[in-house]
Amino acid sequence: MKTVTIVGARPQFIKAAPISRSLRKQSKEILVHSGQHYDQAMSDIFFKELDIPTPDYHLGVGSKGHGAQTGEILAQVEEVLFREKPDWVLVYGDTNTTLAGALAAAKLQIPVAHVEAGLRSFNRKMPEEVNRVLTDHMSTLLFCPTDTSVHHLATEGITQGVMQVGDVMVDAIRYNRLIAGESSQILERIGLEKGSYVLITLHRAENTDDPKRLSAIVRALNQLSVPSVLPLHPRTRGRMKEHGLTFNNPNLLVIEPIGYLDMLYLESQALKILTDSGGVQKEAFILEVPCITMRDETEWTETIEQGANCLTGADEWRIIDSIEGFSADFTHVPPVFGDGYATDRIVDHLLNYMKVT
């Protein structure tokens, strides 16, 4: 069996690492990196730390508008698929890379397997929502992380090829958490103590590309009274500069983007996490750290239902109030994202499907 795996952004690198290790023990994998995350700190360091094989193809697409980026990835991936003639195209999540890879495969009648299928925020203004819906409707095998995601697919009439396998992020954290604890010196480098700080991430387009939302979030961060650290995404930095926004809070430490192991350790030792990232919400839940999400909705509804996460939107005062008042009790929270062995199930399904067909 030959699989072409297509990745292009941080969450995809993290999920691809365990699956790639397992796939390559039993079959051939061709790895394609779209270059959607083009910054070295946002891409290359993840491949090194996660021991992901060097990509067989690096498309170097970089930052573009949604249409141009998706179209360029689609055209280049199509050439790769013509050349490699794989049995499967494996895509992850909800980025433009995901959609372009699935489209290229579907046009060539190559089966698509989608890891993290069935997620829905029900906000079609989000490019990610459009990407995940379209990808699911083109996929032959849909690997769902939760029962909720299976239900979402069923309501759209998708029932064939749907498997609830658990979340690969649990596998990745189970594998990498000990490594991060032994190797990361991030707290010593930035002068913070365990359990004393709020970790912040801010990068989602609905926040960074909307001047009103971004201004409100920056005002909130400038008023935080608890020690906080923000690894600043390049896009966020650029948008702040465009709109004349600056951070001026002595309690807020703004640092450059960091690698996965440092990020995982920062997450695991944080008092709380403030984010607009889908992946970080889930990592916070798995690591049992209270999460505050600067979005109006989330695809990870299980984190809300279990009382481990709350939504503030881009409301300045809701953000501040939640930092001060929100807490979570993980004593009786069930492992809704699985047991950490999703990778084995995914690879088994891929291999067995080829044997049956």
Side-chain angles (χ1 to χ4, degrees):
M1 183 181 79
K2 180 195 279 191
T3 302
V4 167
T5 296
I6 304 172
V7 295
R10 172 193 179 272
Q12 296 168 336
F13 308 149
I14 296 168
K15 288 185 279 279
I19 293 179
S20 180
R21 279 193 297 270
S22 182
L23 263 180
R24 290 179 183 232
K25 292 176 182 177
Q26 306 176 68
S27 63
K28 184 172 184 179
E29 182 191 37
I30 303 297
L31 185 60
V32 179
H33 183 352
S34 71
Q36 181 171 336
H37 269 179
Y38 55 95
D39 186 276
Q40 191 274 342
M42 302 295 291
S43 178
D44 294 353
I45 192 170
F46 284 91
F47 278 75
K48 180 180 179 181
E49 290 188 340
L50 295 168
D51 196 26
I52 304 172
T54 301
D56 299 279
Y57 298 89
H58 197 302
L59 308 184
V61 172
S63 178
K64 291 178 174 65
H66 287 291
Q69 188 179 68
T70 304
E72 186 169 336
I73 298 170
L74 170 60
Q76 292 197 52
V77 167
E78 185 177 62
E79 293 181 9
V80 172
L81 299 182
F82 270 127
R83 187 176 302 118
E84 296 294 342
K85 297 178 172 56
D87 300 297
W88 284 106
V89 167
L90 183 60
V91 296
Y92 294 83
D94 55 19
T95 67
N96 291 339
T97 296
T98 309
L99 177 59
L103 272 170
K107 295 284 188 181
L108 297 175
Q109 298 185 344
I110 300 169
V112 176
H114 185 200
V115 175
E116 218 172 63
L119 301 189
R120 297 292 183 268
S121 69
F122 301 102
N123 179 2
R124 292 292 179 92
K125 293 180 180 179
M126 293 174 58
E128 296 88 350
E129 182 78 353
V130 175
N131 291 343
R132 61 174 74 107
V133 169
L134 293 177
T135 299
D136 282 339
H137 281 265
M138 290 185 284
S139 296
T140 299
L141 289 181
L142 301 99
F143 298 123
C144 296
T146 64
D147 292 335
T148 302
S149 52
V150 173
H151 172 73
H152 289 158
L153 292 175
T155 62
E156 296 174 16
I158 305 174
T159 55
Q160 293 210 351
V162 176
M163 288 111 176
Q164 206 278 53
V165 295
D167 199 306
V168 179
M169 194 72 82
V170 182
D171 302 35
I173 289 177
R174 180 173 61 86
Y175 184 88
N176 291 298
R177 187 175 187 177
L178 181 60
I179 299 172
E182 292 176 345
S183 65
S184 178
Q185 298 180 335
I186 183 68
L187 291 183
E188 291 85 349
R189 293 204 308 270
I190 63 178
L192 292 174
E193 297 181 0
K194 296 179 181 180
S196 68
Y197 60 90
V198 173
L199 172 63
I200 305 168
T201 76
L202 172 61
H203 79 278
R204 191 166 290 273
E206 66 185 270
N207 285 330
T208 61
D209 294 356
D210 184 326
K212 290 184 178 179
R213 291 180 71 94
L214 185 58
S215 295
I217 291 171
V218 170
R219 287 197 303 271
L221 300 189
N222 278 333
Q223 296 177 70
L224 297 183
S225 59
V226 62
S228 306
V229 56
L230 168 61
L232 191 58
H233 193 287
R235 181 173 62 217
T236 309
R237 186 185 298 277
R239 294 294 186 271
M240 288 183 63
K241 185 175 181 180
E242 285 177 21
H243 301 300
L245 301 172
T246 58
F247 293 120
N248 54 22
N249 184 348
N251 293 311
L252 175 62
L253 177 63
V254 179
I255 62 176
E256 294 297 318
I258 55 178
Y260 174 64
L261 295 179
D262 280 344
M263 186 64 179
L264 184 60
Y265 192 68
L266 273 183
E267 288 174 337
S268 70
Q269 302 303 319
L271 174 67
K272 297 177 184 178
I273 293 174
L274 176 67
T275 187
D276 60 4
S277 161
V280 172
Q281 289 177 64
K282 188 170 47 176
E283 288 168 341
F285 183 91
I286 296 167
L287 293 167
E288 299 187 352
V289 178
C291 186
I292 300 156
T293 299
M294 297 178 288
R295 287 171 54 187
D296 300 319
E297 67 284 307
T298 178
E299 56 275 22
W300 298 112
T301 54
E302 297 87 353
T303 65
I304 303 291
E305 293 163 0
Q306 298 299 329
N309 187 8
C310 70
L311 301 177
T312 66
D315 187 291
E316 174 183 351
W317 298 111
R318 285 172 64 193
I319 293 170
I320 294 170
D321 289 345
S322 295
I323 290 291
E324 295 176 352
F326 179 71
S327 61
D329 181 3
F330 289 90
T331 307
H332 302 294
V333 173
V336 294
F337 294 116
D339 58 5
Y341 293 93
T343 293
D344 297 339
R345 299 184 187 100
I346 289 170
V347 174
D348 285 347
H349 283 308
L350 290 170
L351 292 168
N352 291 333
Y353 188 94
M354 295 309 300
K355 291 176 184 177
V356 171
T357 57

